[in-house]
Amino acid sequence: MTKGKLIGNKIKTLREAKGLSVKELSQKAKISEEQLVTLEESEVLPSVAPLINIAKVLEVHLGVFFDDDNSLGPVVCRRDESDEQVNLSSAKSKKHMNYFSLAKTKSGRHMEPYIINFEACTEKDFIMSSHEGEEFIFVLEGAIVITYGENTYTLFAGDSIYYDSIVEHHVECDCEIGAKVLAVVYSPM
C-alpha cells in the first residue's frame, strides 16, 4: 500500500472513530468535501497545511498520519534509516519537496522534525498556506526563499528562521540545484 493510501485510510478511520461525517470534518478542517474524499480514497498526498487542520480537528498530532510504530522512549534516527521519503504535493500538486521524518515512531510527540529536500523548481506560481503552530527551518545546503505575510526572506546554508505558521507563508528553493533543510513543525492540538 502506498504512503498516500495509508494516510487516507488513517484519516478515514480517525474520522469515523470520532463519529464525523465527511461534510463535518471538511467544514471544521476548512477544506472542501471533494478534497477530503480524494485524500481518503486515493493515493494523493496533500500538502502539510490541510493535514495539520485535519489532525487538529481529529485531536491527533500530525505525525499520526506518518507513524508506523509507537515508541514511548527516545527515538534515534540513523542517517541510513531515514531514507523513506514522503513527497507532499502543494495546493497546485507541484511535487518539489521530499520529507524525511526523523521521529515517525515517537508516540505522543508535539513536534514534527523533518529533513526536507527541495528539488530545483523554476515555477514561481504558488499558493500561500497557514495553520496553527510554529515552524523552525535550518538550511543545510543550497538556498531557500520564504514568503511570510508580505515579507520575503532568502536563507543560505547555515541560516535559520523561526516563525508563527498562522501567518500565511510559503517555502521554496532558490537555486537551480535544489536545497536541503532541517524543519521542525509544532502544531497544537
Side-chain angles (χ1 to χ4, degrees), residues 69-116:
D69 301 310
N70 290 318
S71 176
L72 296 175
V75 172
V76 175
C77 184
R78 305 278 182 203
R79 76 178 133 204
D80 60 340
E81 296 172 344
S82 64
D83 61 351
E84 182 181 326
Q85 70 182 13
V86 176
N87 187 316
L88 299 174
S89 60
S90 72
K92 290 197 170 192
S93 297
K94 292 187 299 184
K95 295 182 178 175
H96 65 285
M97 295 188 298
N98 296 310
Y99 289 71
F100 297 85
S101 177
L102 299 176
K104 68 180 181 175
T105 60
K106 174 70 175 148
S107 65
R109 64 190 176 274
H110 299 281
M111 299 180 295
E112 296 298 329
Y114 298 101
I115 294 293
I116 305 174

mmCIF file of all heavy atoms in Angstrom, residues 69-116:
data_model
loop_
_atom_site.group_PDB
_atom_site.id
_atom_site.type_symbol
_atom_site.label_atom_id
_atom_site.label_comp_id
_atom_site.label_asym_id
_atom_site.label_seq_id
_atom_site.Cartn_x
_atom_site.Cartn_y
_atom_site.Cartn_z
ATOM 1 N N ASP A 69 5.006 2.705 13.870
ATOM 2 C CA ASP A 69 5.077 2.086 15.186
ATOM 3 C C ASP A 69 4.927 3.183 16.224
ATOM 4 O O ASP A 69 4.968 4.358 15.916
ATOM 5 C CB ASP A 69 6.438 1.406 15.392
ATOM 6 C CG ASP A 69 6.718 0.350 14.349
ATOM 7 O OD1 ASP A 69 5.841 -0.503 14.127
ATOM 8 O OD2 ASP A 69 7.807 0.395 13.756
ATOM 9 N N ASN A 70 4.802 2.790 17.472
ATOM 10 C CA ASN A 70 4.743 3.766 18.546
ATOM 11 C C ASN A 70 5.789 3.447 19.585
ATOM 12 O O ASN A 70 5.870 2.332 20.067
ATOM 13 C CB ASN A 70 3.356 3.781 19.201
ATOM 14 C CG ASN A 70 2.318 4.370 18.277
ATOM 15 O OD1 ASN A 70 2.560 5.357 17.623
ATOM 16 N ND2 ASN A 70 1.152 3.744 18.219
ATOM 17 N N SER A 71 6.585 4.432 19.939
ATOM 18 C CA SER A 71 7.614 4.271 20.954
ATOM 19 C C SER A 71 7.440 5.350 22.010
ATOM 20 O O SER A 71 7.298 6.522 21.682
ATOM 21 C CB SER A 71 9.004 4.393 20.315
ATOM 22 O OG SER A 71 10.001 4.336 21.302
ATOM 23 N N LEU A 72 7.432 4.940 23.268
ATOM 24 C CA LEU A 72 7.295 5.909 24.347
ATOM 25 C C LEU A 72 8.646 6.495 24.739
ATOM 26 O O LEU A 72 8.725 7.590 25.261
ATOM 27 C CB LEU A 72 6.630 5.258 25.564
ATOM 28 C CG LEU A 72 5.196 4.785 25.332
ATOM 29 C CD1 LEU A 72 4.683 4.040 26.553
ATOM 30 C CD2 LEU A 72 4.290 5.946 24.993
ATOM 31 N N GLY A 73 9.712 5.771 24.500
ATOM 32 C CA GLY A 73 11.046 6.237 24.852
ATOM 33 C C GLY A 73 11.623 7.108 23.753
ATOM 34 O O GLY A 73 10.927 7.494 22.822
ATOM 35 N N PRO A 74 12.913 7.423 23.848
ATOM 36 C CA PRO A 74 13.529 8.233 22.805
ATOM 37 C C PRO A 74 13.594 7.473 21.480
ATOM 38 O O PRO A 74 13.631 6.249 21.459
ATOM 39 C CB PRO A 74 14.938 8.503 23.343
ATOM 40 C CG PRO A 74 15.180 7.445 24.351
ATOM 41 C CD PRO A 74 13.846 7.039 24.891
ATOM 42 N N VAL A 75 13.606 8.225 20.420
ATOM 43 C CA VAL A 75 13.695 7.645 19.079
ATOM 44 C C VAL A 75 14.987 8.144 18.445
ATOM 45 O O VAL A 75 15.216 9.345 18.363
ATOM 46 C CB VAL A 75 12.491 8.061 18.212
ATOM 47 C CG1 VAL A 75 12.682 7.623 16.765
ATOM 48 C CG2 VAL A 75 11.209 7.484 18.772
ATOM 49 N N VAL A 76 15.813 7.225 18.027
ATOM 50 C CA VAL A 76 17.057 7.563 17.337
ATOM 51 C C VAL A 76 16.838 7.257 15.859
ATOM 52 O O VAL A 76 16.378 6.181 15.501
ATOM 53 C CB VAL A 76 18.249 6.737 17.885
ATOM 54 C CG1 VAL A 76 19.505 7.010 17.069
ATOM 55 C CG2 VAL A 76 18.467 7.044 19.357
ATOM 56 N N CYS A 77 17.174 8.200 15.018
ATOM 57 C CA CYS A 77 17.041 8.021 13.579
ATOM 58 C C CYS A 77 18.436 8.104 12.969
ATOM 59 O O CYS A 77 19.032 9.175 12.920
ATOM 60 C CB CYS A 77 16.124 9.087 12.992
ATOM 61 S SG CYS A 77 15.805 8.864 11.240
ATOM 62 N N ARG A 78 18.966 6.978 12.548
ATOM 63 C CA ARG A 78 20.295 6.922 11.938
ATOM 64 C C ARG A 78 20.214 7.386 10.479
ATOM 65 O O ARG A 78 19.178 7.212 9.823
ATOM 66 C CB ARG A 78 20.846 5.492 11.985
ATOM 67 C CG ARG A 78 20.870 4.898 13.365
ATOM 68 C CD ARG A 78 22.071 5.351 14.136
ATOM 69 N NE ARG A 78 22.075 4.700 15.451
ATOM 70 C CZ ARG A 78 22.698 5.183 16.483
ATOM 71 N NH1 ARG A 78 23.363 6.308 16.377
ATOM 72 N NH2 ARG A 78 22.664 4.551 17.639
ATOM 73 N N ARG A 79 21.298 7.948 9.980
ATOM 74 C CA ARG A 79 21.264 8.512 8.629
ATOM 75 C C ARG A 79 20.893 7.480 7.573
ATOM 76 O O ARG A 79 20.252 7.804 6.590
ATOM 77 C CB ARG A 79 22.567 9.211 8.290
ATOM 78 C CG ARG A 79 23.697 8.289 7.965
ATOM 79 C CD ARG A 79 24.931 9.036 7.584
ATOM 80 N NE ARG A 79 26.019 8.421 8.328
ATOM 81 C CZ ARG A 79 27.127 8.999 8.631
ATOM 82 N NH1 ARG A 79 27.328 10.223 8.269
ATOM 83 N NH2 ARG A 79 28.039 8.362 9.299
ATOM 84 N N ASP A 80 21.255 6.222 7.755
ATOM 85 C CA ASP A 80 20.909 5.208 6.758
ATOM 86 C C ASP A 80 19.506 4.649 6.975
ATOM 87 O O ASP A 80 19.033 3.836 6.200
ATOM 88 C CB ASP A 80 21.938 4.078 6.741
ATOM 89 C CG ASP A 80 22.062 3.361 8.083
ATOM 90 O OD1 ASP A 80 21.655 3.940 9.106
ATOM 91 O OD2 ASP A 80 22.577 2.232 8.100
ATOM 92 N N GLU A 81 18.818 5.095 8.016
ATOM 93 C CA GLU A 81 17.452 4.649 8.286
ATOM 94 C C GLU A 81 16.417 5.693 7.900
ATOM 95 O O GLU A 81 15.223 5.449 8.010
ATOM 96 C CB GLU A 81 17.289 4.331 9.780
ATOM 97 C CG GLU A 81 18.143 3.179 10.252
ATOM 98 C CD GLU A 81 18.105 3.007 11.763
ATOM 99 O OE1 GLU A 81 17.673 3.939 12.466
ATOM 100 O OE2 GLU A 81 18.513 1.934 12.233
ATOM 101 N N SER A 82 16.845 6.863 7.495
ATOM 102 C CA SER A 82 15.895 7.941 7.191
ATOM 103 C C SER A 82 15.660 8.085 5.697
ATOM 104 O O SER A 82 15.412 9.158 5.206
ATOM 105 C CB SER A 82 16.403 9.268 7.765
ATOM 106 O OG SER A 82 17.609 9.637 7.132
ATOM 107 N N ASP A 83 15.736 6.967 4.979
ATOM 108 C CA ASP A 83 15.609 7.044 3.527
ATOM 109 C C ASP A 83 14.173 6.947 3.032
ATOM 110 O O ASP A 83 13.911 7.120 1.860
ATOM 111 C CB ASP A 83 16.474 5.985 2.841
ATOM 112 C CG ASP A 83 16.089 4.565 3.224
ATOM 113 O OD1 ASP A 83 15.271 4.399 4.143
ATOM 114 O OD2 ASP A 83 16.617 3.634 2.612
ATOM 115 N N GLU A 84 13.212 6.700 3.921
ATOM 116 C CA GLU A 84 11.824 6.647 3.478
ATOM 117 C C GLU A 84 11.277 8.060 3.394
ATOM 118 O O GLU A 84 11.161 8.768 4.378
ATOM 119 C CB GLU A 84 10.964 5.841 4.457
ATOM 120 C CG GLU A 84 9.531 5.743 3.994
ATOM 121 C CD GLU A 84 8.659 4.976 4.969
ATOM 122 O OE1 GLU A 84 9.144 4.040 5.601
ATOM 123 O OE2 GLU A 84 7.479 5.346 5.087
ATOM 124 N N GLN A 85 10.995 8.492 2.190
ATOM 125 C CA GLN A 85 10.540 9.856 1.994
ATOM 126 C C GLN A 85 9.051 9.903 1.713
ATOM 127 O O GLN A 85 8.455 8.948 1.252
ATOM 128 C CB GLN A 85 11.296 10.508 0.840
ATOM 129 C CG GLN A 85 10.930 9.944 -0.520
ATOM 130 C CD GLN A 85 11.737 10.586 -1.624
ATOM 131 O OE1 GLN A 85 12.709 11.265 -1.383
ATOM 132 N NE2 GLN A 85 11.327 10.369 -2.847
ATOM 133 N N VAL A 86 8.482 11.042 2.018
ATOM 134 C CA VAL A 86 7.104 11.324 1.669
ATOM 135 C C VAL A 86 7.140 12.571 0.814
ATOM 136 O O VAL A 86 7.693 13.588 1.208
ATOM 137 C CB VAL A 86 6.233 11.563 2.920
ATOM 138 C CG1 VAL A 86 4.821 11.940 2.527
ATOM 139 C CG2 VAL A 86 6.230 10.330 3.801
ATOM 140 N N ASN A 87 6.593 12.491 -0.384
ATOM 141 C CA ASN A 87 6.566 13.621 -1.285
ATOM 142 C C ASN A 87 5.185 14.241 -1.192
ATOM 143 O O ASN A 87 4.222 13.690 -1.706
ATOM 144 C CB ASN A 87 6.865 13.156 -2.711
ATOM 145 C CG ASN A 87 7.022 14.305 -3.662
ATOM 146 O OD1 ASN A 87 6.254 15.244 -3.636
ATOM 147 N ND2 ASN A 87 8.017 14.225 -4.512
ATOM 148 N N LEU A 88 5.084 15.367 -0.504
ATOM 149 C CA LEU A 88 3.796 16.026 -0.316
ATOM 150 C C LEU A 88 3.581 17.039 -1.420
ATOM 151 O O LEU A 88 4.468 17.816 -1.738
ATOM 152 C CB LEU A 88 3.744 16.717 1.049
ATOM 153 C CG LEU A 88 3.910 15.789 2.245
ATOM 154 C CD1 LEU A 88 3.993 16.598 3.531
ATOM 155 C CD2 LEU A 88 2.786 14.786 2.321
ATOM 156 N N SER A 89 2.376 17.038 -1.972
ATOM 157 C CA SER A 89 2.076 17.969 -3.047
ATOM 158 C C SER A 89 1.616 19.285 -2.456
ATOM 159 O O SER A 89 1.082 19.338 -1.360
ATOM 160 C CB SER A 89 0.990 17.386 -3.959
ATOM 161 O OG SER A 89 -0.188 17.150 -3.227
ATOM 162 N N SER A 90 1.823 20.340 -3.207
ATOM 163 C CA SER A 90 1.326 21.634 -2.775
ATOM 164 C C SER A 90 -0.107 21.768 -3.242
ATOM 165 O O SER A 90 -0.673 20.866 -3.844
ATOM 166 C CB SER A 90 2.187 22.752 -3.365
ATOM 167 O OG SER A 90 1.920 22.867 -4.749
ATOM 168 N N ALA A 91 -0.680 22.913 -2.995
ATOM 169 C CA ALA A 91 -2.068 23.142 -3.381
ATOM 170 C C ALA A 91 -2.263 23.016 -4.881
ATOM 171 O O ALA A 91 -3.347 22.741 -5.339
ATOM 172 C CB ALA A 91 -2.522 24.525 -2.906
ATOM 173 N N LYS A 92 -1.205 23.215 -5.654
ATOM 174 C CA LYS A 92 -1.310 23.069 -7.108
ATOM 175 C C LYS A 92 -0.689 21.777 -7.585
ATOM 176 O O LYS A 92 -0.363 21.623 -8.746
ATOM 177 C CB LYS A 92 -0.662 24.265 -7.793
ATOM 178 C CG LYS A 92 -1.457 25.538 -7.600
ATOM 179 C CD LYS A 92 -1.026 26.558 -8.598
ATOM 180 C CE LYS A 92 -2.000 27.718 -8.538
ATOM 181 N NZ LYS A 92 -1.827 28.626 -9.638
ATOM 182 N N SER A 93 -0.483 20.832 -6.669
ATOM 183 C CA SER A 93 0.036 19.497 -6.959
ATOM 184 C C SER A 93 1.455 19.487 -7.500
ATOM 185 O O SER A 93 1.862 18.539 -8.148
ATOM 186 C CB SER A 93 -0.892 18.749 -7.924
ATOM 187 O OG SER A 93 -2.133 18.569 -7.319
ATOM 188 N N LYS A 94 2.230 20.557 -7.246
ATOM 189 C CA LYS A 94 3.647 20.506 -7.589
ATOM 190 C C LYS A 94 4.303 19.594 -6.560
ATOM 191 O O LYS A 94 4.036 19.679 -5.383
ATOM 192 C CB LYS A 94 4.289 21.891 -7.520
ATOM 193 C CG LYS A 94 3.799 22.843 -8.576
ATOM 194 C CD LYS A 94 4.587 24.129 -8.548
ATOM 195 C CE LYS A 94 4.450 24.821 -7.224
ATOM 196 N NZ LYS A 94 5.096 26.120 -7.136
ATOM 197 N N LYS A 95 5.162 18.729 -7.016
ATOM 198 C CA LYS A 95 5.849 17.831 -6.096
ATOM 199 C C LYS A 95 7.321 18.216 -6.089
ATOM 200 O O LYS A 95 8.101 17.686 -6.843
ATOM 201 C CB LYS A 95 5.631 16.384 -6.503
ATOM 202 C CG LYS A 95 4.175 15.996 -6.370
ATOM 203 C CD LYS A 95 3.935 14.561 -6.713
ATOM 204 C CE LYS A 95 2.464 14.236 -6.495
ATOM 205 N NZ LYS A 95 2.108 12.922 -6.908
ATOM 206 N N HIS A 96 7.651 19.171 -5.241
ATOM 207 C CA HIS A 96 9.009 19.682 -5.244
ATOM 208 C C HIS A 96 9.700 19.542 -3.892
ATOM 209 O O HIS A 96 10.844 19.935 -3.756
ATOM 210 C CB HIS A 96 9.016 21.147 -5.687
ATOM 211 C CG HIS A 96 8.309 22.072 -4.737
ATOM 212 N ND1 HIS A 96 6.949 22.124 -4.650
ATOM 213 C CD2 HIS A 96 8.794 22.933 -3.817
ATOM 214 C CE1 HIS A 96 6.623 23.001 -3.732
ATOM 215 N NE2 HIS A 96 7.715 23.511 -3.199
ATOM 216 N N MET A 97 9.018 18.976 -2.901
ATOM 217 C CA MET A 97 9.623 18.800 -1.586
ATOM 218 C C MET A 97 9.464 17.350 -1.145
ATOM 219 O O MET A 97 8.366 16.811 -1.150
ATOM 220 C CB MET A 97 8.960 19.714 -0.557
ATOM 221 C CG MET A 97 9.165 21.181 -0.831
ATOM 222 S SD MET A 97 8.583 22.273 0.493
ATOM 223 C CE MET A 97 6.843 21.913 0.542
ATOM 224 N N ASN A 98 10.579 16.721 -0.765
ATOM 225 C CA ASN A 98 10.548 15.360 -0.249
ATOM 226 C C ASN A 98 10.836 15.412 1.240
ATOM 227 O O ASN A 98 11.885 15.897 1.654
ATOM 228 C CB ASN A 98 11.591 14.494 -0.966
ATOM 229 C CG ASN A 98 11.275 14.363 -2.435
ATOM 230 O OD1 ASN A 98 10.164 14.036 -2.805
ATOM 231 N ND2 ASN A 98 12.248 14.633 -3.286
ATOM 232 N N TYR A 99 9.899 14.927 2.051
ATOM 233 C CA TYR A 99 10.002 14.968 3.507
ATOM 234 C C TYR A 99 10.539 13.640 4.033
ATOM 235 O O TYR A 99 10.049 12.581 3.656
ATOM 236 C CB TYR A 99 8.621 15.188 4.133
ATOM 237 C CG TYR A 99 8.050 16.561 3.949
ATOM 238 C CD1 TYR A 99 7.614 16.998 2.700
ATOM 239 C CD2 TYR A 99 7.914 17.425 5.026
ATOM 240 C CE1 TYR A 99 7.076 18.254 2.540
ATOM 241 C CE2 TYR A 99 7.367 18.677 4.871
ATOM 242 C CZ TYR A 99 6.956 19.090 3.624
ATOM 243 O OH TYR A 99 6.424 20.338 3.462
ATOM 244 N N PHE A 100 11.512 13.714 4.933
ATOM 245 C CA PHE A 100 12.043 12.542 5.618
ATOM 246 C C PHE A 100 11.765 12.744 7.103
ATOM 247 O O PHE A 100 12.384 13.601 7.738
ATOM 248 C CB PHE A 100 13.551 12.390 5.372
ATOM 249 C CG PHE A 100 13.907 12.169 3.928
ATOM 250 C CD1 PHE A 100 14.062 13.248 3.069
ATOM 251 C CD2 PHE A 100 14.083 10.888 3.438
ATOM 252 C CE1 PHE A 100 14.391 13.048 1.733
ATOM 253 C CE2 PHE A 100 14.411 10.682 2.110
ATOM 254 C CZ PHE A 100 14.564 11.761 1.254
ATOM 255 N N SER A 101 10.843 11.987 7.658
ATOM 256 C CA SER A 101 10.505 12.131 9.074
ATOM 257 C C SER A 101 11.647 11.628 9.942
ATOM 258 O O SER A 101 12.219 10.572 9.689
ATOM 259 C CB SER A 101 9.235 11.341 9.389
ATOM 260 O OG SER A 101 8.947 11.424 10.773
ATOM 261 N N LEU A 102 11.960 12.379 10.980
ATOM 262 C CA LEU A 102 13.033 11.998 11.890
ATOM 263 C C LEU A 102 12.502 11.449 13.210
ATOM 264 O O LEU A 102 13.287 11.113 14.095
ATOM 265 C CB LEU A 102 13.946 13.204 12.165
ATOM 266 C CG LEU A 102 14.634 13.786 10.923
ATOM 267 C CD1 LEU A 102 15.419 15.028 11.302
ATOM 268 C CD2 LEU A 102 15.532 12.749 10.271
ATOM 269 N N ALA A 103 11.176 11.371 13.354
ATOM 270 C CA ALA A 103 10.618 10.881 14.623
ATOM 271 C C ALA A 103 9.303 10.141 14.427
ATOM 272 O O ALA A 103 8.447 10.143 15.301
ATOM 273 C CB ALA A 103 10.415 12.055 15.579
ATOM 274 N N LYS A 104 9.147 9.465 13.301
ATOM 275 C CA LYS A 104 7.848 8.879 12.984
ATOM 276 C C LYS A 104 7.403 7.780 13.942
ATOM 277 O O LYS A 104 6.229 7.469 14.000
ATOM 278 C CB LYS A 104 7.825 8.368 11.551
ATOM 279 C CG LYS A 104 8.707 7.185 11.292
ATOM 280 C CD LYS A 104 8.602 6.770 9.852
ATOM 281 C CE LYS A 104 9.458 5.563 9.593
ATOM 282 N NZ LYS A 104 9.291 5.070 8.256
ATOM 283 N N THR A 105 8.298 7.222 14.732
ATOM 284 C CA THR A 105 7.875 6.172 15.659
ATOM 285 C C THR A 105 7.683 6.680 17.082
ATOM 286 O O THR A 105 7.356 5.907 17.969
ATOM 287 C CB THR A 105 8.890 5.009 15.682
ATOM 288 O OG1 THR A 105 10.158 5.508 16.107
ATOM 289 C CG2 THR A 105 9.006 4.355 14.312
ATOM 290 N N LYS A 106 7.864 7.970 17.316
ATOM 291 C CA LYS A 106 7.714 8.531 18.655
ATOM 292 C C LYS A 106 6.246 8.867 18.904
ATOM 293 O O LYS A 106 5.674 9.727 18.250
ATOM 294 C CB LYS A 106 8.578 9.791 18.804
ATOM 295 C CG LYS A 106 8.391 10.525 20.109
ATOM 296 C CD LYS A 106 8.969 9.745 21.260
ATOM 297 C CE LYS A 106 8.880 10.557 22.552
ATOM 298 N NZ LYS A 106 8.705 9.708 23.692
ATOM 299 N N SER A 107 5.636 8.165 19.866
ATOM 300 C CA SER A 107 4.233 8.440 20.158
ATOM 301 C C SER A 107 4.123 9.641 21.087
ATOM 302 O O SER A 107 5.029 9.937 21.860
ATOM 303 C CB SER A 107 3.563 7.217 20.792
ATOM 304 O OG SER A 107 4.139 6.950 22.048
ATOM 305 N N GLY A 108 3.015 10.341 21.001
ATOM 306 C CA GLY A 108 2.725 11.459 21.880
ATOM 307 C C GLY A 108 3.595 12.681 21.664
ATOM 308 O O GLY A 108 3.661 13.555 22.514
ATOM 309 N N ARG A 109 4.241 12.782 20.513
ATOM 310 C CA ARG A 109 5.130 13.919 20.286
ATOM 311 C C ARG A 109 4.332 15.190 19.974
ATOM 312 O O ARG A 109 3.208 15.137 19.509
ATOM 313 C CB ARG A 109 6.128 13.616 19.187
ATOM 314 C CG ARG A 109 5.524 13.387 17.816
ATOM 315 C CD ARG A 109 6.593 12.859 16.854
ATOM 316 N NE ARG A 109 6.042 12.536 15.568
ATOM 317 C CZ ARG A 109 5.497 11.368 15.276
ATOM 318 N NH1 ARG A 109 5.422 10.429 16.173
ATOM 319 N NH2 ARG A 109 5.021 11.136 14.063
ATOM 320 N N HIS A 110 4.962 16.316 20.230
ATOM 321 C CA HIS A 110 4.344 17.612 19.971
ATOM 322 C C HIS A 110 5.032 18.363 18.842
ATOM 323 O O HIS A 110 4.558 19.393 18.394
ATOM 324 C CB HIS A 110 4.371 18.473 21.236
ATOM 325 C CG HIS A 110 3.622 17.849 22.368
ATOM 326 N ND1 HIS A 110 2.257 17.892 22.470
ATOM 327 C CD2 HIS A 110 4.050 17.119 23.421
ATOM 328 C CE1 HIS A 110 1.868 17.236 23.543
ATOM 329 N NE2 HIS A 110 2.939 16.751 24.138
ATOM 330 N N MET A 111 6.177 17.857 18.398
ATOM 331 C CA MET A 111 6.923 18.466 17.300
ATOM 332 C C MET A 111 7.108 17.427 16.205
ATOM 333 O O MET A 111 7.146 16.237 16.477
ATOM 334 C CB MET A 111 8.308 18.925 17.774
ATOM 335 C CG MET A 111 8.301 19.952 18.864
ATOM 336 S SD MET A 111 9.980 20.441 19.345
ATOM 337 C CE MET A 111 10.624 18.918 20.021
ATOM 338 N N GLU A 112 7.230 17.900 14.984
ATOM 339 C CA GLU A 112 7.487 17.038 13.838
ATOM 340 C C GLU A 112 8.784 17.469 13.184
ATOM 341 O O GLU A 112 8.828 18.472 12.476
ATOM 342 C CB GLU A 112 6.345 17.125 12.820
ATOM 343 C CG GLU A 112 5.015 16.625 13.325
ATOM 344 C CD GLU A 112 5.038 15.165 13.703
ATOM 345 O OE1 GLU A 112 5.798 14.377 13.086
ATOM 346 O OE2 GLU A 112 4.298 14.804 14.617
ATOM 347 N N PRO A 113 9.894 16.757 13.422
ATOM 348 C CA PRO A 113 11.157 17.113 12.774
ATOM 349 C C PRO A 113 11.305 16.387 11.431
ATOM 350 O O PRO A 113 11.013 15.194 11.326
ATOM 351 C CB PRO A 113 12.206 16.637 13.777
ATOM 352 C CG PRO A 113 11.554 15.477 14.475
ATOM 353 C CD PRO A 113 10.082 15.763 14.483
ATOM 354 N N TYR A 114 11.754 17.124 10.428
ATOM 355 C CA TYR A 114 11.935 16.569 9.088
ATOM 356 C C TYR A 114 13.245 17.054 8.488
ATOM 357 O O TYR A 114 13.697 18.158 8.767
ATOM 358 C CB TYR A 114 10.838 17.054 8.116
ATOM 359 C CG TYR A 114 9.439 16.662 8.478
ATOM 360 C CD1 TYR A 114 8.581 17.570 9.084
ATOM 361 C CD2 TYR A 114 8.958 15.387 8.184
ATOM 362 C CE1 TYR A 114 7.277 17.216 9.404
ATOM 363 C CE2 TYR A 114 7.659 15.031 8.497
ATOM 364 C CZ TYR A 114 6.825 15.944 9.106
ATOM 365 O OH TYR A 114 5.540 15.598 9.420
ATOM 366 N N ILE A 115 13.811 16.242 7.626
ATOM 367 C CA ILE A 115 14.784 16.713 6.651
ATOM 368 C C ILE A 115 13.963 16.859 5.376
ATOM 369 O O ILE A 115 13.241 15.942 4.981
ATOM 370 C CB ILE A 115 15.939 15.707 6.433
ATOM 371 C CG1 ILE A 115 16.786 15.554 7.701
ATOM 372 C CG2 ILE A 115 16.787 16.134 5.232
ATOM 373 C CD1 ILE A 115 17.583 16.779 8.098
ATOM 374 N N ILE A 116 14.044 18.016 4.757
ATOM 375 C CA ILE A 116 13.284 18.249 3.525
ATOM 376 C C ILE A 116 14.266 18.548 2.404
ATOM 377 O O ILE A 116 15.095 19.447 2.520
ATOM 378 C CB ILE A 116 12.288 19.418 3.667
ATOM 379 C CG1 ILE A 116 11.353 19.191 4.850
ATOM 380 C CG2 ILE A 116 11.504 19.605 2.366
ATOM 381 C CD1 ILE A 116 10.440 20.369 5.149
#
